[in-house]
Amino acid sequence: MRQWLPVRIVAVLLAAAVSALAGARADSDMDAQIRDIVTSELAPTATAADPGGLAAAVYAGGQVTFFNYGFADVARQQPVTPDTLFNLASLRKLFEATLVALGTARGELRLDDPVEKYLPELHGDYISRVTVGELVNHTSGLLLPTDHPPWPNETFSRNQFIAMLNAWTPPAGEQPGKQRIYSHAGYVLLQLVLERRYGMPIANLIESRILTPLGMTSTFIPDRAEDNRAVLAPEIMQRMVQGYSHDGTPIGPPGNQQSYYDFPGTGQMFSSARDLGILLGACLDGAAIDPELRAALQTTMRESFRVDAKFGQAMAWEHVRLDGVTVIDKPGGLNNASAYIGLVPARRFGIVLLANRGDYPHEIARYKILPALARL
């Protein structure tokens, strides 16, 4: 005997099926729009005539989509993939800022701690008034010779760095905490503070407190060899890009690092678009990660210094207000590498751009791609 479902139940089931189909179509349409926006902006910046290649990761709707262009190594015709390893340049600062946020949440340090609390060898009149918080949000006022481009042409020992800090007097009357001046030296000093506080090299701190909990297994702060190459296992080095200048001239070997400093931990960080896609998800959703780490990531993104009506500074992150859309981002670059990570937290959109050439036009993500995604 046939069993017939009541008409009311059939109607409910049909309505659910129609709703699910409509949702799937909407998701498909959204995915197509995202791809159109991203490819229309990225493809013209990574043509066959451009040096090297580009790896991008876009986070939307809880998913990461990858876009790859060009070559990790032109001579070897090695294509860029989501697992290719790029030099992150100043994107490394985001991880050190996260260590600070974690430390403050755990009561291990305070933003208003003077740096001399951890490095008593800092006794100069100016530097003794600088705090951890002012280092992390670029309001220390420091602007040392090691902050000036073009690129490193001499190096400084740790003792020479400390001596420069002790002798520092601002040329224009800057005061700690009163202005935003981007300072690489400030973050090298922050590295020393963190290493002294925890009695551990910065690479180990970042790995144990951030990378391992997030499952980021392809992100490294390697030692530097005498030839300034990263010291990593051969199978990892094979994934490294060759870096190029903006005109296509190879600069350094794969895994090349650059630094004004000759003490450990001051080289660059390396990662892949796939690994940084994990970071995008942790910043924008983070439901599956440790609550303390999630809170620390959120803390780093809060604006703590208003530069002007358009720009603000957080802990390493920068805020840009654009026609009703707030982009929170961080660019980085060397003469042979460019990197960018940007977020629109209100819409849970994010993007990573990694290029193995200097002067890649990463501004297209800030001013075009992310605002266009936010309007979807």
Side-chain angles (χ1 to χ4, degrees):
M1 179 181 295
R2 290 182 178 179
Q3 299 292 321
W4 297 97
L5 290 172
V7 172
R8 182 177 298 174
I9 294 178
V10 172
V12 169
L13 292 175
L14 283 173
V18 169
S19 177
L21 182 59
R25 286 176 177 170
D27 289 343
S28 178
D29 290 344
M30 175 70 83
D31 290 344
Q33 291 179 72
I34 290 171
R35 285 189 170 275
D36 286 346
I37 289 169
V38 174
T39 56
S40 67
E41 295 293 347
L42 294 187
T45 71
T47 68
D50 292 305
L54 172 70
V58 174
Y59 185 92
Q63 302 295 323
V64 181
T65 304
F66 300 103
F67 302 81
N68 304 297
Y69 304 88
F71 293 101
D73 190 317
V74 175
R76 291 189 290 152
Q77 294 290 284
Q78 178 183 348
V80 166
T81 76
D83 298 302
T84 299
L85 296 176
F86 290 81
N87 190 322
L88 298 189
S90 284
L91 264 59
R92 166 180 162 164
K93 293 180 173 68
L94 299 174
F95 294 86
E96 286 151 338
T98 303
L99 289 178
V100 172
L102 274 172
T104 57
R106 295 172 178 175
E108 298 163 347
L109 51 80
R110 294 168 56 93
L111 293 180
D112 59 3
D113 283 340
V115 293
E116 67 173 354
K117 175 179 178 178
Y118 304 100
L119 299 167
E121 58 266 43
L122 293 174
H123 49 69
D125 177 65
Y126 190 92
I127 194 63
S128 63
R129 293 183 285 130
V130 171
T131 67
V132 171
E134 290 159 355
L135 294 180
V136 81
N137 74 352
H138 293 295
T139 60
S140 68
L142 295 175
L143 192 66
L144 272 62
T146 53
D147 285 315
H148 300 293
W151 305 106
N153 54 17
E154 60 179 309
T155 59
F156 300 84
S157 67
R158 188 184 185 282
N159 287 340
Q160 288 173 318
F161 180 54
I162 296 296
M164 281 197 296
L165 290 166
N166 279 328
W168 171 251
T169 299
E174 288 85 4
Q175 295 293 324
K178 301 301 183 182
Q179 64 288 298
R180 189 266 191 188
I181 299 175
Y182 190 88
S183 174
H184 300 292
Y187 265 76
V188 174
L189 176 54
L190 185 62
Q191 170 196 323
L192 296 180
V193 167
L194 290 165
E195 289 180 332
R196 182 69 62 85
R197 169 61 185 86
Y198 294 107
M200 187 183 301
I202 193 68
N204 298 76
L205 278 169
I206 290 174
E207 181 176 8
S208 63
R209 291 192 161 211
I210 304 172
L211 302 180
T212 297
L214 290 181
M216 295 176 65
T217 58
S218 290
T219 303
F220 313 94
I221 299 181
D223 291 332
R224 283 203 318 271
E226 291 186 2
D227 62 357
N228 287 327
R229 293 187 76 186
V231 179
L232 290 166
E235 62 270 20
I236 297 174
M237 290 298 293
Q238 289 174 3
R239 295 162 55 193
M240 289 281 190
V241 297
Q242 168 64 56
Y244 301 92
S245 71
H246 67 278
D247 64 3
T249 303
I251 297 179
N256 178 59
Q257 297 196 69
Q258 301 178 17
S259 178
Y260 287 108
Y261 308 99
D262 63 8
F263 47 95
T266 58
Q268 284 87 52
M269 197 174 203
F270 296 83
S271 189
S272 66
R274 191 181 303 279
D275 244 30
L276 292 180
I278 296 172
L279 181 62
L280 288 175
C283 289
L284 293 167
D285 286 319
I289 70 173
D290 174 71
E292 201 170 42
L293 180 53
R294 180 172 66 247
L297 290 169
Q298 294 299 315
T299 297
T300 64
M301 292 188 283
R302 294 192 191 110
E303 183 179 298
S304 56
F305 188 86
R306 177 64 60 89
V307 178
D308 56 32
K310 185 175 182 179
F311 294 100
Q313 180 68 54
M315 297 172 72
W317 295 95
E318 300 167 14
H319 283 228
V320 189
R321 285 168 283 278
L322 304 165
D323 297 326
V325 176
T326 296
V327 173
I328 302 176
D329 65 4
K330 180 72 185 79
L334 297 167
N335 57 355
N336 63 354
S338 300
Y340 175 87
I341 181 169
L343 314 169
V344 181
R347 294 296 314 279
R348 294 169 58 209
F349 285 123
I351 189 170
V352 165
L353 302 178
L354 300 173
N356 55 333
R357 76 177 194 252
D359 296 326
Y360 177 82
H362 60 76
E363 295 86 355
I364 60 172
R366 171 186 283 182
Y367 294 111
K368 293 186 177 181
I369 296 175
L370 287 172
L373 293 179
R375 288 191 290 268
L376 291 178

